[in-house]
Amino acid sequence: MRDLPLPGPAERFDYQSLDTAASRLWIAHMGAGEVLAVDLHPLAVALRAGGLPRVTGVLAVPSLGRVFASAAGSHAVAELDAMDGRILTRFPAGRFPDGLAYAPGVHRLFVSDELGRQELVLDVAGGRALAPIALGGEAGNSAYDPVSDRIWVAVQTRDEVVAIDPSSDSVLARIPVPGIAGPHGLLLDPAHRLAFVAGERNGRLGVLDLETLRMRGTYPVGDDPDVLAFDPGRRRLFVASESGVVAAFAVAGDSLFPLPRYRAPHAHTVAVDPSTHLVYLPLPSVGGQPVLRVLAAP
């Protein structure tokens, strides 16, 4: 529908997080070492938060008025003020902090330490790091399930996902994901008790039943899939990949039905606004300029 020019160099983007209450999209501009906040109505860049070298994960927590960002280049997680982007706290965060998930009941932030092969635990209320949780393999993305009050983590070098109790910081279960090689991308549909798991080594997406803990099927996506986004109102799932392919699916029950794919160079991160159903792709270079591309989904 349109391209919004973004500030900064034509460098890689990573995760995004949408604050639906504020209609504000937070984008990790990894190559620039900063987080961008984009207001969606009307579409405009609201602020830039720098000092975040090699920022990967970003997570808005509206109930706290905070945004958390994984600064892998400085081995830290930063806590930002959601109003003005000021860095309030820096937590030490292992070797390569990446995906983020917040458990509101215990006020803890769980962080995938990919190279550290562990899940980091940050006590947000107390402003301190707690003992990490060993995973036995490289950590992919993390996600919080509000129905079961569990943290789920993809463990990409073990081809499994693990369930963590956020109160005791203990691993409750290890679930193999057959047909998915190198699970990295992870996204939950809590209402329908499904998890979507993307295999970065074989370009397939798996549907995991969170009640039976069994795989319901796998589907081809782009090579080296990375970030996933889900529109719960329209039941549309989007899987962006390092190869520049954004695969789209209609979700019916526990089955996926392919929709037309979208292609753009370096389109490996995607977000969707559930109120407007618009899809957002930060692209590092369109004519040498980073842009936020806005798409209307089928």
Side-chain angles (χ1 to χ4, degrees), residues 15 56-59 68-72 75-78 91-103 108-124 128-135 137-143 151-154 164 169:
Y15 285 100
T56 53
V58 62
L59 179 67
F68 297 92
S70 302
H75 312 289
V77 169
F91 297 89
R95 293 182 59 191
F96 193 91
D98 193 10
L100 303 167
Y102 179 68
R108 292 177 182 173
L109 186 74
F110 291 79
V111 185
S112 305
D113 181 6
E114 183 172 355
L115 298 182
R117 303 164 68 89
Q118 60 188 350
E119 190 75 0
L120 306 173
V121 185
L122 305 181
D123 175 8
V124 173
R128 61 195 179 105
L130 303 178
I133 303 167
L135 297 176
E138 291 183 2
N141 201 11
S142 299
I151 297 290
W152 290 87
V153 186
I164 293 173
D169 297 338

Side-chain angles (χ1 to χ4, degrees), residues 8 10 14 20-21 35 37 48 55 59 71 87 105 126 141 144 157 159 161 166 184 186 198 203 216 258 263 265 290:
D14 210 343
T20 55
V35 169
R48 302 167 68 180
V55 59
L59 179 67
I87 296 177
N141 201 11
Y144 174 67
T157 50
D159 294 342
V161 296
H184 180 81
L186 176 66
R216 293 304 184 188
R263 290 171 172 81

Side-chain angles (χ1 to χ4, degrees), residues 29-200:
H29 196 174
M30 182 177 180
E34 64 182 13
V35 169
L36 304 177
V38 176
D39 286 338
L40 302 183
H41 312 296
L43 191 66
V45 177
L47 60 87
R48 302 167 68 180
L52 301 166
R54 207 175 180 191
V55 59
T56 53
V58 62
L59 179 67
V61 183
S63 62
L64 301 178
R66 299 289 185 264
V67 176
F68 297 92
S70 302
S74 58
H75 312 289
V77 169
E79 179 182 4
L80 283 64
D81 187 298
M83 293 297 294
D84 57 21
R86 288 181 299 116
I87 296 177
L88 304 175
T89 309
R90 291 185 188 266
F91 297 89
R95 293 182 59 191
F96 193 91
D98 193 10
L100 303 167
Y102 179 68
V106 290
H107 305 291
R108 292 177 182 173
L109 186 74
F110 291 79
V111 185
S112 305
D113 181 6
E114 183 172 355
L115 298 182
R117 303 164 68 89
Q118 60 188 350
E119 190 75 0
L120 306 173
V121 185
L122 305 181
D123 175 8
V124 173
R128 61 195 179 105
L130 303 178
I133 303 167
L135 297 176
E138 291 183 2
N141 201 11
S142 299
Y144 174 67
D145 177 13
V147 175
S148 64
D149 188 31
R150 295 290 180 262
I151 297 290
W152 290 87
V153 186
V155 186
Q156 55 201 29
T157 50
R158 293 176 60 105
D159 294 342
E160 66 184 17
V161 296
V162 302
I164 293 173
D165 181 346
S167 297
S168 63
D169 297 338
S170 59
V171 173
L172 299 178
R174 292 183 177 272
I175 313 302
V177 285
I180 301 300
H184 180 81
L186 176 66
L187 184 145
L188 306 185
D189 176 9
H192 295 87
R193 311 307 300 136
L194 297 176
F196 305 108
V197 188
E200 64 179 9

Side-chain angles (χ1 to χ4, degrees), residues 10-35:
E11 299 286 349
R12 177 186 175 90
F13 292 96
D14 210 343
Y15 285 100
Q16 304 175 75
S17 182
L18 178 62
D19 180 346
T20 55
S23 293
R24 177 170 282 188
L25 180 64
W26 294 85
I27 306 171
H29 196 174
M30 182 177 180
E34 64 182 13
V35 169

Side-chain angles (χ1 to χ4, degrees), residues 173-223:
R174 292 183 177 272
I175 313 302
V177 285
I180 301 300
H184 180 81
L186 176 66
L187 184 145
L188 306 185
D189 176 9
H192 295 87
R193 311 307 300 136
L194 297 176
F196 305 108
V197 188
E200 64 179 9
R201 293 201 310 271
N202 67 343
R204 295 193 71 84
L205 177 74
V207 180
L208 175 67
D209 187 316
L210 291 175
E211 293 296 329
T212 65
L213 302 180
R214 294 184 179 274
M215 293 290 286
R216 293 304 184 188
T218 69
Y219 304 82
V221 292
D223 291 339

